[in-house]
Short mmCIF file of all heavy atoms in Angstrom, two decimals:
data_model
loop_
_atom_site.label_atom_id
_atom_site.label_comp_id
_atom_site.label_asym_id
_atom_site.label_seq_id
_atom_site.Cartn_x
_atom_site.Cartn_y
_atom_site.Cartn_z
N GLN M 264 15.19 23.31 8.41
CA GLN M 264 16.62 23.61 8.34
C GLN M 264 17.40 22.61 7.48
O GLN M 264 18.52 22.88 7.08
CB GLN M 264 17.23 23.62 9.75
CG GLN M 264 16.68 24.70 10.66
CD GLN M 264 17.04 26.10 10.21
OE1 GLN M 264 18.18 26.37 9.87
NE2 GLN M 264 16.06 26.99 10.19
N TYR M 265 16.77 21.47 7.20
CA TYR M 265 17.50 20.38 6.55
C TYR M 265 16.51 19.57 5.73
O TYR M 265 15.44 19.22 6.21
CB TYR M 265 18.14 19.50 7.63
CG TYR M 265 19.19 18.53 7.14
CD1 TYR M 265 20.54 18.84 7.21
CD2 TYR M 265 18.83 17.28 6.66
CE1 TYR M 265 21.51 17.94 6.79
CE2 TYR M 265 19.79 16.37 6.25
CZ TYR M 265 21.13 16.70 6.31
OH TYR M 265 22.09 15.82 5.90
N GLU M 266 16.88 19.25 4.48
CA GLU M 266 15.99 18.46 3.63
C GLU M 266 16.80 17.51 2.75
O GLU M 266 17.45 17.93 1.80
CB GLU M 266 15.14 19.36 2.74
CG GLU M 266 14.15 18.58 1.88
CD GLU M 266 13.35 19.47 0.97
OE1 GLU M 266 13.42 20.72 1.11
OE2 GLU M 266 12.65 18.93 0.10
N PRO M 267 16.78 16.19 3.05
CA PRO M 267 17.44 15.22 2.17
C PRO M 267 16.77 15.19 0.80
O PRO M 267 15.54 15.18 0.71
CB PRO M 267 17.25 13.89 2.90
CG PRO M 267 16.93 14.26 4.31
CD PRO M 267 16.20 15.56 4.23
N LEU M 268 17.56 15.17 -0.27
CA LEU M 268 17.02 15.18 -1.62
C LEU M 268 17.22 13.88 -2.37
O LEU M 268 16.32 13.41 -3.06
CB LEU M 268 17.65 16.32 -2.43
CG LEU M 268 17.42 17.74 -1.91
CD1 LEU M 268 18.17 18.73 -2.78
CD2 LEU M 268 15.94 18.08 -1.87
N GLY M 269 18.39 13.29 -2.26
CA GLY M 269 18.66 12.07 -2.99
C GLY M 269 20.06 11.56 -2.71
O GLY M 269 20.93 12.31 -2.26
N ILE M 270 20.25 10.27 -2.98
CA ILE M 270 21.53 9.62 -2.72
C ILE M 270 22.18 9.24 -4.05
O ILE M 270 21.52 8.69 -4.93
CB ILE M 270 21.34 8.37 -1.84
CG1 ILE M 270 20.79 8.78 -0.47
CG2 ILE M 270 22.65 7.60 -1.69
CD1 ILE M 270 20.35 7.62 0.38
N ASP M 271 23.45 9.53 -4.18
CA ASP M 271 24.23 9.08 -5.32
C ASP M 271 25.03 7.86 -4.86
O ASP M 271 25.97 7.98 -4.07
CB ASP M 271 25.16 10.19 -5.81
CG ASP M 271 25.80 9.86 -7.15
OD1 ASP M 271 26.22 8.70 -7.34
OD2 ASP M 271 25.87 10.76 -8.01
N ALA M 272 24.60 6.68 -5.32
CA ALA M 272 25.22 5.44 -4.86
C ALA M 272 26.70 5.37 -5.27
O ALA M 272 27.53 4.82 -4.52
CB ALA M 272 24.45 4.24 -5.41
N ASP M 273 27.04 5.89 -6.44
CA ASP M 273 28.43 5.84 -6.89
C ASP M 273 29.36 6.60 -5.95
O ASP M 273 30.52 6.22 -5.75
CB ASP M 273 28.56 6.42 -8.30
CG ASP M 273 27.96 5.50 -9.36
OD1 ASP M 273 27.81 4.30 -9.09
OD2 ASP M 273 27.62 6.00 -10.45
N LEU M 274 28.83 7.69 -5.38
CA LEU M 274 29.63 8.51 -4.48
C LEU M 274 29.39 8.17 -3.01
O LEU M 274 30.03 8.75 -2.13
CB LEU M 274 29.32 10.00 -4.71
CG LEU M 274 29.59 10.53 -6.12
CD1 LEU M 274 29.15 11.99 -6.23
CD2 LEU M 274 31.06 10.40 -6.47
N ASP M 275 28.43 7.24 -2.76
CA ASP M 275 28.05 6.90 -1.39
C ASP M 275 27.77 8.16 -0.58
O ASP M 275 28.24 8.33 0.55
CB ASP M 275 29.13 6.06 -0.71
CG ASP M 275 28.64 5.43 0.61
OD1 ASP M 275 27.41 5.26 0.74
OD2 ASP M 275 29.48 5.15 1.48
N SER M 276 27.00 9.06 -1.19
CA SER M 276 26.78 10.37 -0.58
C SER M 276 25.32 10.80 -0.72
O SER M 276 24.64 10.43 -1.69
CB SER M 276 27.68 11.43 -1.23
OG SER M 276 29.04 11.14 -1.01
N LEU M 277 24.89 11.58 0.25
CA LEU M 277 23.56 12.18 0.25
C LEU M 277 23.66 13.62 -0.20
O LEU M 277 24.54 14.37 0.25
CB LEU M 277 22.97 12.13 1.66
CG LEU M 277 21.69 12.94 1.91
CD1 LEU M 277 20.49 12.28 1.22
CD2 LEU M 277 21.43 13.08 3.41
N TYR M 278 22.77 14.03 -1.10
CA TYR M 278 22.60 15.44 -1.41
C TYR M 278 21.46 15.97 -0.55
O TYR M 278 20.38 15.37 -0.50
CB TYR M 278 22.29 15.65 -2.89
CG TYR M 278 23.49 15.46 -3.79
CD1 TYR M 278 23.76 14.23 -4.36
CD2 TYR M 278 24.35 16.53 -4.05
CE1 TYR M 278 24.87 14.05 -5.19
CE2 TYR M 278 25.45 16.36 -4.87
CZ TYR M 278 25.71 15.12 -5.43
OH TYR M 278 26.81 14.96 -6.24
N ALA M 279 21.70 17.10 0.12
CA ALA M 279 20.69 17.65 1.01
C ALA M 279 20.74 19.18 0.98
O ALA M 279 21.80 19.77 0.76
CB ALA M 279 20.90 17.16 2.45
N LEU M 280 19.58 19.78 1.19
CA LEU M 280 19.51 21.22 1.38
C LEU M 280 19.67 21.51 2.86
O LEU M 280 19.07 20.86 3.71
CB LEU M 280 18.16 21.77 0.90
CG LEU M 280 17.86 21.65 -0.60
CD1 LEU M 280 16.48 22.21 -0.90
CD2 LEU M 280 18.92 22.37 -1.42
N LYS M 281 20.50 22.51 3.15
CA LYS M 281 20.78 22.88 4.53
C LYS M 281 20.90 24.39 4.60
O LYS M 281 21.48 25.01 3.70
CB LYS M 281 22.08 22.20 4.98
CG LYS M 281 22.46 22.43 6.42
CD LYS M 281 23.76 21.69 6.73
CE LYS M 281 24.25 21.94 8.14
NZ LYS M 281 25.53 21.26 8.43
N LYS M 282 20.35 24.98 5.65
CA LYS M 282 20.39 26.43 5.77
C LYS M 282 21.82 26.93 5.97
O LYS M 282 22.58 26.39 6.77
CB LYS M 282 19.51 26.90 6.93
CG LYS M 282 18.01 26.78 6.68
CD LYS M 282 17.53 27.80 5.67
CE LYS M 282 16.04 27.69 5.40
NZ LYS M 282 15.22 28.14 6.52
N ARG M 283 22.16 27.96 5.20
CA ARG M 283 23.46 28.62 5.31
C ARG M 283 23.23 30.10 5.11
O ARG M 283 22.75 30.53 4.07
CB ARG M 283 24.43 28.09 4.26
CG ARG M 283 25.85 28.66 4.35
CD ARG M 283 26.77 27.92 3.38
NE ARG M 283 28.17 28.28 3.58
CZ ARG M 283 28.82 29.21 2.86
NH1 ARG M 283 28.19 29.86 1.89
NH2 ARG M 283 30.08 29.48 3.10
N ASP M 284 23.55 30.89 6.14
CA ASP M 284 23.31 32.33 6.10
C ASP M 284 21.84 32.63 5.79
O ASP M 284 21.51 33.58 5.07
CB ASP M 284 24.21 33.01 5.06
CG ASP M 284 25.69 32.86 5.38
OD1 ASP M 284 26.03 32.80 6.58
OD2 ASP M 284 26.50 32.79 4.44
N GLY M 285 20.95 31.78 6.32
CA GLY M 285 19.52 32.03 6.18
C GLY M 285 18.90 31.57 4.88
O GLY M 285 17.70 31.75 4.67
N ARG M 286 19.69 30.95 4.00
CA ARG M 286 19.16 30.44 2.73
C ARG M 286 19.58 28.99 2.55
O ARG M 286 20.62 28.57 3.07
CB ARG M 286 19.66 31.28 1.54
CG ARG M 286 18.98 32.62 1.40
CD ARG M 286 19.58 33.41 0.23
NE ARG M 286 20.97 33.73 0.48
CZ ARG M 286 21.37 34.80 1.17
NH1 ARG M 286 20.47 35.65 1.65
NH2 ARG M 286 22.66 35.04 1.35
N TYR M 287 18.77 28.23 1.81
CA TYR M 287 19.10 26.84 1.55
C TYR M 287 20.29 26.75 0.59
O TYR M 287 20.29 27.34 -0.49
CB TYR M 287 17.92 26.09 0.94
CG TYR M 287 16.89 25.65 1.95
CD1 TYR M 287 15.59 26.14 1.89
CD2 TYR M 287 17.21 24.74 2.95
CE1 TYR M 287 14.64 25.74 2.81
CE2 TYR M 287 16.27 24.34 3.89
CZ TYR M 287 14.98 24.84 3.81
OH TYR M 287 14.04 24.44 4.73
N ALA M 288 21.30 26.00 1.02
CA ALA M 288 22.45 25.68 0.19
C ALA M 288 22.46 24.18 -0.05
O ALA M 288 21.86 23.41 0.71
CB ALA M 288 23.75 26.13 0.86
N LEU M 289 23.14 23.75 -1.09
CA LEU M 289 23.21 22.33 -1.42
C LEU M 289 24.53 21.76 -0.91
O LEU M 289 25.60 22.28 -1.23
CB LEU M 289 23.09 22.12 -2.93
CG LEU M 289 23.15 20.67 -3.41
CD1 LEU M 289 21.97 19.87 -2.89
CD2 LEU M 289 23.21 20.62 -4.95
N TYR M 290 24.41 20.67 -0.14
CA TYR M 290 25.59 19.99 0.40
C TYR M 290 25.60 18.54 -0.06
O TYR M 290 24.54 17.93 -0.30
CB TYR M 290 25.57 20.01 1.93
CG TYR M 290 25.87 21.36 2.54
CD1 TYR M 290 24.87 22.30 2.69
CD2 TYR M 290 27.16 21.67 2.99
CE1 TYR M 290 25.14 23.55 3.25
CE2 TYR M 290 27.43 22.90 3.56
CZ TYR M 290 26.42 23.84 3.69
OH TYR M 290 26.69 25.06 4.25
#
Side-chain angles (χ1 to χ4, degrees):
Q264 297 293 314
Y265 194 97
E266 182 182 351
L268 298 177
I270 297 170
D271 191 317
D273 288 339
L274 300 176
D275 192 24
S276 297
L277 169 72
Y278 285 92
L280 295 179
K281 183 179 177 182
K282 288 289 180 71
R283 184 173 189 263
D284 298 329
R286 284 178 296 275
Y287 280 117
L289 180 64
Y290 288 83

